[in-house]
Each structure stands twice: as structure tokens, then as C-alpha cells.
Amino acid sequence: MLGCLKKPVVVTAEINMNLVALTVMGLISRLWGLSYPRAVVFDEVYYGQFVSLYMKRIFFVDDSGPPFGHMLLALGGYLGGFDGNFLWNRIGAEYSMNVPVWSLRLLPALAGALCVPLAYQILVELQFSHCAAHGAALLILLENSLITQSRFMLLESILIFFILLAVLSYLKFYNLQRHSSFSGSWWFWLLLTGVACSCAVGVKYMGLFTYMLLLAIAGLHFWHMIGDQNFSNVSLMCHFLARGLALIIIPMAMYLSFFYVHLTLLYRSGPHDQIMTSAFQASLEGGLARITQGQPLEVAYGSQITLRNVLGKPMQCWLHSHTNTYPIRYENGRGSSHQQQVTCYPFKDVNNWWIVKDPGMQQLVVSNPPRPVRHGHIVQLVHGITTRYLNTHDVAAPLSPHSQEVSCYIDYNISMPAQNLWRVEIVNRESDTDVWKTILSEVRFVHVNTSAVLKASGFSGASLPEWGCLQLEVVGEKLSKGYHQSMVWNVEEHRYGKSQEQKEREVELHSPTQMDISKNLSFMAKFTELQWKILTLKNEDTEHKYSSSALDWITMDTNIAYWLHPTSGAQIHLLGNIVTWASANSAALVYMCLSLWYLIRRRRKIYDIPEDAWQLWVSAGGICVGGWAVNYLPFFLMEKTLFLYHYLPALTFQILLIPIVLQHLSDHLCRYLVLTDSMFSALIVAWFSSVYLVYRTFSPVTYGEPSLSVTELKDLRWKDSWNILLRKQ
């Protein structure tokens, strides 16, 4: 055994120096002067707020997408020792000394830098020449818009990195398929494909477009395998299961893990709590949890409760009443019952308390032992402060004349009897004998006499007039009109009533309860609710100065001013390399025209290029043209405020297509164009020189320095639609 020690241990490694050089150049282009400007740049004002909340472990909801990208930005802040104390309220605000600017911008910059070698490797795996691969990498390197987007605390560069990593991983896996199926490297690249796809989706839902594309390509490749008689049935099943595990199961598991980490980190109550259910709020430290801690779990006859409407948007509100009555006549001349008003009030108040009463008994306290209320039971709801009963009848509601008025009954000794019986229906019950539970149960109150359902109707935006204290309307909605969340309520605060006398009860209503029962939500319950809020919560989209349409992106008829120096002419813009953008559009047009020409000719049994060249052409187009299409065309269907940076993932795929088309022209069509190899190479050199020249020309507004004069800035306005900022002299 000691014989092996007589010879030295030698480790050999192959290093692709081209790849190393491209990586170094990418790092230099993205990391140089990364801390400049030391001020909030464009959407850093948006993402920075979330980073601060992560640092303080405060819960938030961002309707723009999943939390993985935000967590990566927060990781940069954590590594830099950021404490979260900075007011993100204005673009251009100077960062205080406690903000680690370089660290916060590091991960997006690294992701942007690594896109350069990824572009090189993708073209190599597509079986194109190293010259074409270098061209793709250098075009990514010199693309001003990608540089700008990479150098700040933004998510697009991270998204593009994971998209390109997913594409490269799948290509490497596919190329290994031919000769080393189920080897270690085969498994590595297949699993990395799924991981990269889940990370792309976890950063922004735009990553879903490329994920779907790769699933479609994988499905097509597997379809071809089914027709290959060299694969046995067992082998095909193993391949199918491997792909299902790596491309579906693992991405789903990772997606869940992003939310698990997100919810684990953000355990404290914050400003976004109000859009979540009471159960979710109660699971957070502080806020509602401090109020609801130790409440009784089961609602019983005699329970004192507050009822929160489940819809919770545009604002949360609680069932409420006060001594004011409905006016005898409304402004439009309609009459009312002149009963006590019942509203939905968006603030916590002692008038939000109600007592659950058994219609067959007079007592308003919980018996010993408590008698729990179950699904289907008939109850009366007594307003805690005024002791009047919740009532509805065939009188038109003030703002919704097709619905019934809801009131607290006042006996005016006229022919209008009380109708105050309500049936409790637990919407999320597991059985018809379920007990009504605090926070957890979502209930609907059906009026026994009229079958109307208690509903908060004020969420449409209209509130009651001054006589109703501008609060939200509550009505009785006919059950036949369908189900809506505004008809569903849950008990948020709860205590077992002990005082029969009204004065003692009022004191009791102002005091907290101290019974100890846990109401923790499971992770899946919290994930489901949070995911639904992200998908359905829509902020009001307003027209932005730099918003644009998808049509503006192709020809780069728009730009975005990211930052302007407060005193000099130094500024940063999201502007692309116009030569690269025009070349990318031309490459896509040439590819589609040539593909159509080849298809028509092949239909006529005329083969202009060899079969292997045709397969290479088709596979490259499936990745590059397909990637461009799936990342661009969906924006024509979106009703949201759009910006130029939304086009960058699609642009990246289009840039990869440029050297592919150029190599195809060189290999197969130059002889038809009467171009020698030297002439074609000279044209390529001239074209690439123009790409570099434009990159250098616009570098001052890509990096923000050096500062330019007004005349120099005017010279950069190559299109009238570009908004280059000029200071008044």
C-alpha cells in the first residue's frame, strides 16, 4: 500500500482560456465602479424596501412575483452587514453610510457578468463554431442595456442568468444523451436544468416562459425517442421518469422551498398584513398576534366576537354598528326603515363587538361547559354596546337598492316585526358537524326569513354619505345571486362572555382575554394564501413617464432615465446598443425568411443544404427564435404597465441568433451572394467595429461617468423619442 507514495500525486485539468478571458471581461464590465452612483437608482427605490423588510424580518407581499429574487438581493445586504435602516422614498436620494451599496449590487452584477461565458457555451453546445460562440459572448458583453441593468439592485440580470443557465444545462444534457445516458454528468446537467428553471421562475414569473419552452423541447425530443426502436420499453420509462423528476417534481419542490424560506425569515407583523386573512395575521409575531393570542378556539353561545370580512380589499373591515339610524328619506327620495345602521368599518373599534346568542335562551354569557356553535345552527347576533339584534328585511339598502337593508332592530311599535335569525354556514368545513372556530372558520350568515346572505357591498369603492360616517355598506344579498368572498366572514377577536349586566359587559368588551389556545397555520395553508394573493392582488397601474408598449421595444423607440446627478450632467439611461438591436431584428427576419424558403423547397424535394446543417438550423431556431417569441409576444396580452427592461430576456435570445445566422450565411450562402470568405470576414469586422463604437459612444450614460456637456448629451439623442435629460443653462 505504501508503494503509491513513491510517486507524486499529480492533478491535471483542462482550462478553456477563451472562457476564462470572456468571464474576466464580463466581470470587469459589470463590476467596475459598482458603488457609483452612491444614490438610489430607478427601481432600487422599489426593491430596496423589500431588502430592508428582510433585514428586519417583517412580512410583506409583492404582487410582482415570487420571493426568490428578493431573497437574493437581501442576501447581498446581509453579506454587507446592512441593518435595513434606510428610507427608500425617492429616486436619487443619497445612500447613508450604513447602506453597503457595493454589496447590494454585487449579485445582480455577477449574474450579468456570467451571462457572457454562458452565451459562449450555449453556441458551442448548439454545435456552432468557436468563432460564432465568441461573437455571441462579445455581443452580450458590449450590450449597453444589459450592462446598465446588471449594475444595480434589480432582478432582470439574475433572471437572464438563470434562463441562460437552464438552456445551457439542457443542451449539455441532450448532447450527452447520445452516448452516456444515466451517467453522473448526464444526471448533473438534467437536474441543473430543473434547478435553473425553478430559480428563473422564482425570480420573476417571466422565467415561466423559458421553462415552458424547455419543457416543450424536452417533450419533442422524448417523442422522437419513442419512435427509436433502439430504446426498450423499460429504457423509455426510465427516461420518462428521470425527466419528470428533474423537470417537474424538483422545480415544484424548489418553488415551494422559496416560499418556505421566505415565510420562515419574515415572521414579524408588518404593513402588508391587512390584505391577509386573520388566521395568517395571527401566525405573525406582533400585530394581530398580540391581540388574538390565547383566545378561545371554539365559538359558543354567549361568545363575544368581532367579524372581519374575508375579502379584505381594497381594505379590511369589520361588521360594525353604532347608535345612528338610517335617514327616513334618502336624497333620491327612497324611504328607509329608520333602524340602527349596520356598516363595515375599516378600523378596530369597540362597536365592532357582537354577542352570539341562542334564540331559545335569554342569557348573553357562555355556559359551563360552553355549548359550541356548529355548521347549520341558528343564532342571533347582538350588538355588544347597544344590545340590539342584527336584522334584515324587505327594505332596499341605501346604496344597493336591489339588495336588502341590514340594520340593528329598533322596536318602533309599528307593523315591522324583528327578523333577526341567522343560519351559520361554515364555507371551509370538512363535515356538516364542524364547530365554528375562531380565525380558522370562514362563515356565511344566511337570513332565515328571506334567505339573504350578509354581505359587505362597499368594496366597489362607494361609501355611505355623511349620515353613515363614510363607512362601507352592508346588505342582505339574495343567495341565488351567487357566491363571493364579500359574503364570507371570520371571527378575528373572541372572548367568552361572563357578564350578564350591560355595564359590566361594556367593561368586559374593552378588556383582553387571557385563555391559551394555539391557532398556528400550516406552511401549506400559508403558502396557498400567499400565492393566491400574489396572483390576484393588483396594484392600480398608473401611466409612468417612462412606460412603453411592446411595439416600442423592437426598434428601441424608448429609453428610461435611471439616474441624474443633482448638479452636473452625469446621468444613467437604459439604452441599448442600437447596432446590436438592429442586427438582432435583421437576424430574426433573415432566419424566418430562410426557414420558410427551405421548407417550401424541401416540400418540393429540393435540398439546398445538407441534412445535418438543416437539423442544426432548426434546433438553433427552436432555442433562439423560440426564446425570443415566448419572452416577447405574451406582453401584447398583458394589461400592466410595461417598461423597456421587460424586453431584455427576449433580446438576449435574439442576440444569440446573430452569429448563428452569420455562420449559416458564411457556410452555405456566400457563394450565391458572390462574396469571398475574405470579403465576408471584412464585412463582419466592420460591422463588429460599429458595435464597439456605439458601445463606447453611449458608455457615459451606461456607467454614469464621465459627465457630459449639454452639447454632448444632445449628440446622443439619435432618436427624437429618446428622453435625454438636459439641464437648463
Side-chain angles (χ1 to χ4, degrees):
M1 293 181 61
L2 297 178
C4 62
L5 299 178
K6 296 179 179 179
K7 296 181 180 180
V9 177
V10 178
V11 177
T12 59
E14 292 184 2
I15 299 176
N16 187 333
M17 295 307 298
N18 293 335
L19 203 57
V20 172
L22 289 171
T23 304
V24 170
M25 287 190 290
L27 290 171
I28 293 173
S29 68
R30 270 62 175 178
L31 295 178
W32 178 80
L34 192 60
S35 295
Y36 179 84
R38 194 175 171 82
V40 179
V41 176
F42 199 61
D43 272 355
E44 286 187 337
V45 74
Y46 177 73
Y47 293 113
Q49 299 176 46
F50 301 134
V51 172
S52 286
L53 292 173
Y54 271 116
M55 297 300 104
K56 297 178 180 181
R57 303 294 191 267
I58 295 175
F59 174 78
F60 68 85
V61 179
D62 178 21
D63 66 336
S64 68
F68 182 56
H70 300 77
M71 288 192 290
L72 289 177
L73 297 180
L75 175 62
Y78 175 78
L79 295 175
F82 184 40
D83 56 10
N85 292 320
F86 183 77
L87 186 60
W88 308 87
N89 62 348
R90 180 174 60 87
I91 297 174
E94 291 291 325
Y95 283 122
S96 55
M97 294 306 298
N98 68 304
V99 181
V101 181
W102 190 87
S103 179
L104 286 169
R105 295 173 178 172
L106 177 62
L107 289 180
L110 287 176
L114 292 176
C115 288
V116 176
L118 284 177
Y120 171 87
Q121 290 181 287
I122 286 173
L123 260 71
V124 170
E125 292 301 321
L126 282 171
Q127 311 303 319
F128 285 89
S129 67
H130 285 272
C131 183
H134 275 101
L138 292 175
L139 287 172
I140 297 292
L141 176 71
L142 300 178
E143 174 48 45
N144 299 70
S145 60
L146 294 179
I147 295 173
T148 300
Q149 202 68 15
S150 301
R151 288 173 48 80
F152 302 107
M153 191 172 45
L154 308 171
L155 292 180
E156 277 66 32
S157 63
I158 300 175
L159 171 65
I160 294 171
F161 166 76
F162 283 120
I163 286 175
L164 294 183
L165 180 61
V167 171
L168 174 64
S169 300
Y170 182 79
L171 291 174
K172 282 185 172 291
F173 152 75
Y174 178 71
N175 290 333
L176 287 168
Q177 174 73 37
R178 303 168 188 172
H179 52 80
S180 56
S181 295
F182 298 103
S183 63
S185 55
W186 183 92
W187 274 109
F188 173 79
W189 292 112
L190 176 59
L191 293 172
L192 186 57
T193 302
V195 169
C197 285
S198 62
C199 290
V201 176
V203 171
K204 277 195 168 186
Y205 282 128
M206 287 173 60
L208 192 63
F209 302 146
T210 303
Y211 179 39
M212 291 295 106
L213 175 67
L214 289 178
L215 281 181
I217 292 173
L220 181 63
H221 288 163
F222 185 73
W223 180 255
H224 291 157
M225 289 175 62
I226 293 176
D228 190 341
Q229 297 300 319
N230 293 322
F231 291 98
S232 66
N233 292 338
V234 174
S235 178
L236 284 174
M237 181 57 67
C238 291
H239 278 282
F240 177 78
L241 293 176
R243 285 160 173 78
L245 171 67
L247 301 182
I248 297 177
I249 303 300
I250 288 180
M252 290 175 62
M254 286 197 61
Y255 184 78
L256 286 173
S257 72
F258 298 150
F259 281 87
Y260 183 83
V261 175
H262 174 75
L263 292 170
T264 301
L265 291 174
L266 306 183
Y267 59 86
R268 290 176 178 158
S269 174
H272 293 191
D273 295 3
Q274 64 179 12
I275 65 173
M276 310 304 291
T277 64
S278 300
F280 195 106
Q281 293 183 51
S283 70
L284 300 173
E285 180 183 295
L288 182 62
R290 290 182 298 178
I291 299 172
T292 61
Q293 183 179 8
Q295 292 183 153
L297 177 62
E298 296 184 347
V299 177
Y301 291 109
S303 285
Q304 299 170 357
I305 61 174
T306 63
L307 290 166
R308 179 182 185 265
N309 193 266
V310 168
L311 183 60
K313 63 179 183 180
M315 64 184 76
Q316 59 184 346
C317 72
W318 292 264
L319 189 66
H320 175 94
S321 186
H322 40 238
T323 56
N324 296 7
T325 58
Y326 291 109
I328 297 176
R329 293 279 176 188
Y330 299 125
E331 292 181 355
N332 59 8
R334 289 191 297 110
S336 78
S337 66
H338 199 46
Q339 300 283 335
Q340 181 172 303
Q341 296 172 14
V342 172
T343 64
C344 206
Y345 188 51
F347 302 98
K348 293 186 181 297
D349 187 87
V350 70
N351 280 310
N352 297 346
W353 284 92
W354 300 81
I355 302 171
V356 181
K357 179 181 176 297
D358 184 346
M361 304 181 68
Q362 290 302 314
Q363 68 181 36
L364 296 179
V365 296
V366 176
S367 60
N368 189 15
R371 293 185 299 123
V373 180
R374 299 182 183 273
H375 170 75
H377 280 193
I378 306 299
V379 301
Q380 292 172 313
L381 293 176
V382 182
H383 188 239
I385 297 298
T386 64
T387 67
R388 293 197 169 110
Y389 290 62
L390 186 70
N391 182 85
T392 187
H393 39 215
D394 192 16
V395 176
L399 300 182
S400 308
H402 298 293
S403 302
Q404 294 181 180
E405 174 193 88
V406 173
S407 62
C408 278
Y409 182 74
I410 301 175
D411 187 2
Y412 288 118
N413 199 23
I414 58 176
S415 57
M416 185 181 288
Q419 300 181 40
N420 51 31
L421 299 179
W422 300 86
R423 184 171 65 253
V424 176
E425 292 188 356
I426 302 176
V427 177
N428 60 340
R429 65 186 182 276
E430 295 181 358
S431 71
D432 288 343
T433 59
D434 273 11
V435 175
W436 183 8
K437 294 184 176 65
T438 305
I439 291 179
L440 302 178
S441 294
E442 296 181 351
V443 301
R444 192 165 49 178
F445 297 99
V446 181
H447 191 236
V448 172
N449 297 76
T450 64
S451 297
V453 181
L454 188 68
K455 174 184 176 181
S457 68
F459 291 123
S460 58
S463 56
L464 294 171
E466 292 288 345
W467 54 258
C469 305
L470 303 180
Q471 296 174 17
L472 301 180
E473 182 189 41
V474 172
V475 301
E477 191 72 85
K478 289 294 186 181
L479 190 59
S480 59
K481 293 185 179 179
Y483 163 79
H484 191 264
Q485 276 193 316
S486 59
M487 301 179 183
V488 182
W489 307 79
N490 71 271
V491 174
E492 187 170 270
E493 297 178 68
H494 178 209
R495 62 170 64 87
Y496 282 164
K498 300 177 181 178
S499 303
Q500 186 69 35
E501 295 297 326
Q502 177 61 15
K503 289 186 177 180
E504 295 177 0
R505 190 184 306 120
E506 289 184 15
V507 173
E508 189 177 38
L509 290 172
H510 285 86
S511 62
T513 183
Q514 295 297 327
M515 297 182 68
D516 187 19
I517 297 178
S518 174
K519 290 175 275 294
N520 290 331
L521 277 181
S522 67
F523 162 69
M524 285 307 299
K526 295 174 72 174
F527 163 75
T528 303
E529 180 178 343
L530 179 56
Q531 179 66 88
W532 179 249
K533 291 294 183 183
I534 290 174
L535 293 177
T536 58
L537 180 65
K538 297 298 178 186
N539 291 325
E540 293 185 8
D541 287 332
T542 56
E543 192 67 23
H544 192 280
K545 179 180 180 180
Y546 292 106
S547 62
S548 54
S549 69
L551 281 176
D552 295 329
W553 303 341
I554 297 181
T555 52
M556 204 170 62
D557 286 335
T558 182
N559 72 304
I560 304 177
Y562 272 11
W563 171 79
L564 174 66
H565 193 278
T567 56
S568 71
Q571 52 193 276
I572 295 174
H573 289 259
L574 183 66
L575 267 175
N577 189 312
I578 198 166
V579 175
T580 301
W581 286 51
S583 302
N585 292 330
S586 300
L589 183 61
V590 169
Y591 181 90
M592 288 184 282
C593 291
L594 278 177
S595 297
L596 180 61
W597 172 256
Y598 288 149
L599 284 171
I600 294 173
R601 301 268 289 177
R602 289 172 71 87
R603 189 66 176 170
R604 301 291 297 173
K605 306 299 181 183
I606 302 172
Y607 302 97
D608 298 290
I609 58 177
E611 184 61 24
D612 59 343
W614 167 251
Q615 294 297 330
L616 188 62
W617 179 254
V618 170
S619 62
I623 294 291
C624 298
V625 178
W628 171 79
V630 300
N631 283 284
Y632 175 55
L633 298 181
F635 286 102
F636 287 97
L637 305 176
M638 294 184 184
E639 296 182 358
K640 59 178 290 186
T641 305
L642 301 177
F643 295 92
L644 181 61
Y645 56 72
H646 287 126
Y647 186 60
L648 296 183
L651 172 71
T652 303
F653 281 101
Q654 223 182 5
I655 291 175
L656 297 180
L657 187 64
I658 298 174
I660 290 173
V661 171
L662 290 176
Q663 180 174 329
H664 185 80
L665 294 176
S666 175
D667 292 345
H668 303 289
L669 299 179
C670 273
R671 60 180 180 273
Y672 300 115
L673 301 175
V674 197
L675 283 175
T676 63
D677 290 344
S678 57
M679 292 173 60
F680 188 79
S681 299
L683 289 174
I684 295 298
V685 171
W687 165 77
F688 202 87
S689 298
S690 67
V691 171
Y692 178 75
L693 180 62
V694 172
Y695 158 74
R696 290 294 302 167
T697 301
F698 284 90
S699 286
V701 292
T702 298
Y703 292 94
E705 54 186 358
S707 176
L708 300 180
S709 65
V710 173
T711 302
E712 290 172 322
L713 289 170
K714 287 181 178 179
D715 291 340
L716 291 182
R717 192 176 181 183
W718 288 10
K719 289 192 174 186
D720 293 337
S721 57
W722 290 358
N723 187 12
I724 304 296
L725 304 178
L726 303 176
R727 290 192 177 277
K728 293 181 180 180
Q729 298 296 316

